[in-house]
Amino acid sequence: MAFRSTAHSALAALRGELTGEVFAPWDRGYDAARAVFDARDDRRPAVIARCADAADVVRAVRFGRELDLRIAVRGGGHGAADTAAADGALMVDLSRMRRVTVDPVAGAARVEGGATTGDLDRAALPHGLATTGARSRTTGVAGSVLGGGTGWLDRLFGPAVDNLLGVELVTAGAERVRASADEHPELFWALHGGGGNFGVATALTLRLHELPRFSLALLRYPPGYGAQVVRAFREVFRSAPDELGGAVLYLAGPPAPAGGPRCAAVLTHAGGADGLRDLAGPLRALPHEAGPAGELPYTAAQRLLDTPPGLRHHRSARCLTGLPQEAVDAFRAGGEGLPTASGSRYLLFPQGGAVAAGPRGYPVAWRDAPWTAHPCAFWADPADDERACGWVREACAALAPWSTGAVCLNLIGDEGPERVRAGLGAGNMLRLEKVKRRYDPDNVFRCNHNIRPV
């Protein structure tokens, strides 16, 4: 944005009005404020408004509209699509808005738009409550929920979005609205998967569930056992109760011949360790090293796949119709080709249970898939960009014959409009586009998996 005199005046007014902080490119702290989870993202917003409350968000959106700026929203700053910052845009930064208020009697939590999964889990834990959250503590709650939301508990409690009771939103017209089953119901429907297309979510109300006990087991296997592990894992989930979750994953190790990628299995159980041990029988029968195991707080389990900020990353996903032997072999080959000496990993996790049994009307097109494969590349050296991104592309391409066509948009980057349609469901798009026209006719909020107004 070229700062004309009118823009300077508007910026000065925003600085005076905002309870939070405002950063322009010449300000001390601007570079730190524009940093997000992916170190590849070197975008330079025209202005960053670090909001302290919903009133600040209204002021920021009004400023952006006055200067005809695109608006990018930073919640947790963790998204796979790297949409929290955009060159020349206004970044509405919610990182100061992280309060979580739990009502144990109602079994609900009000979660501000900048809160992370870790913030939510820690607030709910003392009450013996939890809800489906992302598989990493640092993931933003709002982005995860509004994009669908998968996690260790989704087979029991449904995807995160199935637990959405209400959203407090600032629209493109700088209006504050609350969407729920009774208020703005069409907007509420669209927020079940439509992400940040319709405004800035300043707070969400989520249903909580009782989770008095939780246990986890991590089993690591020798090289060459990947196919056997996947088959045993598949056998476990052929008749597993909904309380059981987990993933088969390949983890990067040191370069060959010293090691290389290793296959592991994670099992999570909404219950005690004895029950988990019984359910894990086929996996325990294979040669393995036992990692962390036993009953533990759910918050501790959420640390398992944490990745430190400051790395470069690229991710994608395939929802699968099933796991025939050919698909097992394709997953194994992708895992064994994992870029080494990095934080990369390749997950294969089950759905079913409450994911498949959830509400049919929402734009969550991927809920019928029994399995999802999720290659995640994390690396430090820019020289490895093409190798790491190429591995993600190749891993997904190898599983294309078993793809349902749908995808959870939380798990992918910018892969084009057809993938957005696949995530939301082609049959839902016209309805979503009409909601977009009602609440954001100028497509101000287009730094996302975009839905165009019609």
Side-chain angles (χ1 to χ4, degrees), residues 85-148:
D87 289 328
L90 168 66
M91 176 197 279
V92 176
D93 180 357
L94 306 181
S95 60
R96 286 185 55 172
M97 299 172 57
R98 295 178 62 168
R99 184 179 293 110
V100 178
T101 305
V102 173
D103 182 343
V105 176
R110 181 181 181 272
V111 184
E112 290 189 336
T116 65
T117 296
D119 294 328
L120 171 58
D121 294 341
R122 284 191 300 272
L125 179 68
H127 306 282
L129 300 171
T131 194
T132 301
R135 292 177 178 86
S136 170
R137 293 176 302 165
T138 54
T139 302
V141 173
S144 176
V145 172
L146 299 182

Side-chain angles (χ1 to χ4, degrees), residues 71-75 79 81 83 94 113 140-149 160-161 164 166-172 177 179 186-204 362-366 407-412 420 423-425 428-429 432-433 435-436 439-440 443-452:
I71 298 177
V73 182
R74 184 194 192 281
T83 57
L94 306 181
V141 173
S144 176
V145 172
L146 299 182
V161 75
L164 185 63
V167 183
E168 298 165 42
L169 200 75
V170 176
T171 69
V177 302
E186 193 69 358
L187 174 61
F188 187 58
W189 171 84
L191 290 167
H192 284 72
N197 269 282
F198 310 101
V200 184
T202 57
L204 287 71
Y362 291 132
V364 184
W366 44 271
V407 65
C408 179
L409 296 179
N410 289 140
L411 304 180
I412 70 169
V420 174
L424 298 170
N428 295 315
M429 286 305 294
L432 287 163
E433 289 164 349
V435 178
K436 177 74 169 182
Y439 292 95
D440 183 14
N443 204 13
V444 172
F445 299 108
R446 59 185 182 273
C447 300
N448 47 39
H449 289 300
N450 195 232
I451 300 166
R452 294 184 176 276

